[in-house]
Amino acid sequence: MSFRGFQKSVVRAPQQLKAKFNIGEHTKDAVFIDSERRFQELETETKRLHDASRKYFDAINGMLSHQIEFSKAMTEIYKPISGRVSDPDSLVVHGNPEGIRACEEYELVVKDLQDTIAPELEMIESRIIRPSNELLDVLKVIRKTAVKRDHKQLDYDRHRATLKKLQDKKEKSAKDEKAVWKAESDLEQSTQEYNYFNDLLKDELPKLFSLERQFIQPLFQSFYYMQLNIFYTLHEKMQQCDIGYFNLNLDILEAFEEKRGDIQEQAEKLTIVRFKTSGRQRPPKYGPKPAAIEAGSQPAGLLTQGPSTSSPPSPTSPNPAASFKYGQHTQAAAAENPPPPYSAAALPAKSPLSPSLGGPGSALAAAAAGKPKPPPPKPKPTRLAGAHAVETVTALYDYSAQAEGDLSFRAGDVIEIVTKTQNENEWWTGKINGRQGQFPGELICDPGIYTISF
């Protein structure tokens, strides 16, 4: 923007704000408003036509280029990987020569197809995208004329408001008369300029709209036939594509299953992917696997069924109920023989040498007697009186938490029992190193090992 244009923008700014907030009088032309709305729609749709044509052109080119890159990637996958450090059979050459040959043939077919449809894509560039660019350039010139017309309207409304303000003034001085003469001159000039651009656009825009229809019809027809040619060429070339590596007589899914074979089953047998693809329960993270997991053919018992007959508790194991009763009996015995309570009778007798109330020490004795007596000391607990019986079990296997709230531990860990049930097949609650959670009582922890700690 030049300095002169900047000055005009500053002068028009107040009137532009008034027009924006609808303050004062403003010139309105209904015919031009309707033409400007149609012109704005023409701008938008022409830009959309240009962008869509460009995207279609890039999509066809991109599709063929991606097909070639896909063939190159498959060729690299089919190449042998022997001789590498990670290959256990480095001396045996593994590869798929038939697959590599099929990828090379497919790449040649796609390149030939790309060369065949290149002229059709060039026609899209020359007959649709380039005319759209030219039309956009024409619309930009018309838009500049419309903007200039809006500026002339602002000048016209501004000079008209100034002249009206001076004319409405009752007492005019010589300076006011000079200002009225200048305002009339500016208004006349702005009126001529505004009418020129306003009439020009009202006369020329309808003609542009008529030419627009004549421009769009052949453009759309060319695009339609070029699309047909491209699709027909793609279809013919792919129909003639005969690569022996593919069996085109079978259905797509049948051919896929035939080529794949039992690869999926072999992959699922690998330990690193077995529990990902088959949906089985994860094994323990460390240590030997439990027998229940290794013998996958044996059905697992329900958690709510009775005690299992296949794994009876060891006869040499101590009875947990008896151990628990022993702890309760110890507490009861300690509670029956509490220490003697504190009483005043146990205090020593008053010494005869103590001063009497009437002696010199009577004031100190009275002060000492006025203090409150200290509370009696707490009775000393006897041995094992406050001991809390803790039931513990020893884990036979490693166990990793399967859900939130489960307790993880290693084989040989001592678990402190918080709550348990009489059924060994249900879940118990235990604690290890301050961590508390649930764990299966039968599969993970031996229900016959109990200890009582104090």
Side-chain angles (χ1 to χ4, degrees), residues 81-228:
I81 61 173
S82 60
R84 300 181 180 178
V85 179
S86 62
D87 189 2
D89 300 327
S90 59
L91 300 179
V92 182
V93 178
H94 296 280
N96 190 350
E98 295 82 4
I100 296 175
R101 192 179 306 111
C103 290
E104 293 175 351
E105 294 178 6
Y106 178 77
E107 183 177 350
L108 293 177
V109 171
V110 177
K111 287 183 177 179
D112 180 61
L113 179 60
Q114 195 174 28
D115 296 337
T116 304
I117 66 174
E120 298 293 336
L121 294 176
E122 181 63 28
M123 291 178 63
I124 294 179
E125 174 71 28
S126 60
R127 295 188 179 182
I128 298 177
I129 300 177
R130 195 176 304 162
S132 300
N133 280 330
E134 295 174 356
L135 180 57
L136 285 175
D137 294 338
V138 173
L139 295 180
K140 289 180 181 178
V141 176
I142 299 175
R143 172 54 64 185
K144 289 183 179 180
T145 305
V147 171
K148 186 175 292 187
R149 181 259 178 199
D150 294 338
H151 290 169
K152 299 303 179 183
Q153 179 182 345
L154 291 175
D155 294 339
Y156 171 72
D157 293 337
R158 177 168 57 87
H159 293 310
R160 187 179 60 174
T162 302
L163 179 59
K164 184 179 180 181
K165 183 178 179 181
L166 292 174
Q167 290 177 348
D168 293 342
K169 197 172 184 180
K170 296 181 179 180
E171 298 180 358
K172 300 182 181 65
S173 60
K175 186 177 180 180
D176 295 335
E177 293 293 340
K178 185 178 179 180
V180 169
W181 178 82
K182 186 177 182 304
E184 290 177 351
S185 177
D186 293 340
L187 178 60
E188 183 179 358
Q189 182 179 357
S190 61
T191 303
Q192 293 177 359
E193 294 176 351
Y194 166 71
N195 289 335
Y196 170 77
F197 287 103
N198 188 61
D199 296 339
L200 176 64
L201 291 174
K202 287 196 299 182
D203 294 339
E204 299 293 336
L205 284 179
K207 297 178 182 179
L208 176 67
F209 300 147
S210 177
L211 295 175
E212 171 206 356
R213 290 190 294 269
Q214 300 178 12
F215 171 79
I216 292 297
Q217 290 177 359
L219 202 67
F220 178 71
Q221 185 176 1
S222 300
F223 185 69
Y224 174 75
Y225 282 111
M226 282 184 285
Q227 276 187 318
L228 289 181

Side-chain angles (χ1 to χ4, degrees), residues 334 337-339 378-386:
N337 299 319
K378 295 182 179 180
K380 295 183 179 180
T382 59
R383 185 175 180 272
L384 302 180

Side-chain angles (χ1 to χ4, degrees), residues 297-328:
S297 59
Q298 299 180 1
L302 297 177
L303 296 180
T304 56
Q305 66 184 8
S308 174
T309 58
S310 60
S311 59
S314 174
T316 60
S317 303
N319 189 358
S323 301
F324 188 72
K325 288 181 180 179
Y326 171 75
Q328 291 180 345

Side-chain angles (χ1 to χ4, degrees), residues 31-100:
V31 177
F32 175 78
I33 292 175
D34 181 68
S35 300
E36 186 182 22
R37 179 183 55 81
R38 293 182 58 188
F39 177 73
Q40 188 174 2
E41 293 176 357
L42 175 61
E43 281 183 313
T44 304
E45 298 303 326
T46 304
K47 185 67 169 60
R48 184 182 300 178
L49 173 65
H50 172 270
D51 295 343
S53 304
R54 172 59 65 182
K55 289 179 181 179
Y56 179 80
F57 178 85
D58 295 338
I60 298 296
N61 272 331
M63 178 186 67
L64 299 177
S65 300
H66 292 323
Q67 286 178 283
I68 295 175
E69 294 298 327
F70 173 82
S71 176
K72 293 180 179 179
M74 292 301 298
T75 303
E76 292 295 328
I77 293 176
Y78 283 148
K79 287 182 178 180
I81 61 173
S82 60
R84 300 181 180 178
V85 179
S86 62
D87 189 2
D89 300 327
S90 59
L91 300 179
V92 182
V93 178
H94 296 280
N96 190 350
E98 295 82 4
I100 296 175

Side-chain angles (χ1 to χ4, degrees), residues 327-439:
Q328 291 180 345
H329 177 72
T330 304
Q331 287 183 337
E336 289 177 358
N337 299 319
Y342 177 82
S343 61
L347 295 175
K350 186 177 179 181
S351 174
L353 299 177
S354 61
S356 61
L357 295 178
S362 60
L364 297 175
K371 292 184 179 180
K373 295 181 179 181
K378 295 182 179 180
K380 295 183 179 180
T382 59
R383 185 175 180 272
L384 302 180
H388 177 66
V390 178
E391 181 179 358
T392 60
V393 293
T394 304
L396 296 180
Y397 307 103
D398 295 348
Y399 178 70
S400 299
Q402 304 295 323
E404 185 178 359
D406 292 358
L407 182 65
S408 301
F409 48 81
R410 303 284 297 275
D413 289 348
V414 178
I415 306 173
E416 178 183 344
I417 298 298
V418 178
T419 58
K420 73 180 187 67
T421 61
Q422 297 299 328
N423 191 347
E424 301 169 353
N425 296 320
E426 295 182 352
W427 289 74
W428 295 359
T429 303
K431 183 187 301 184
I432 297 179
N433 299 327
R435 296 182 292 104
Q436 180 172 332
Q438 295 182 345
F439 61 94

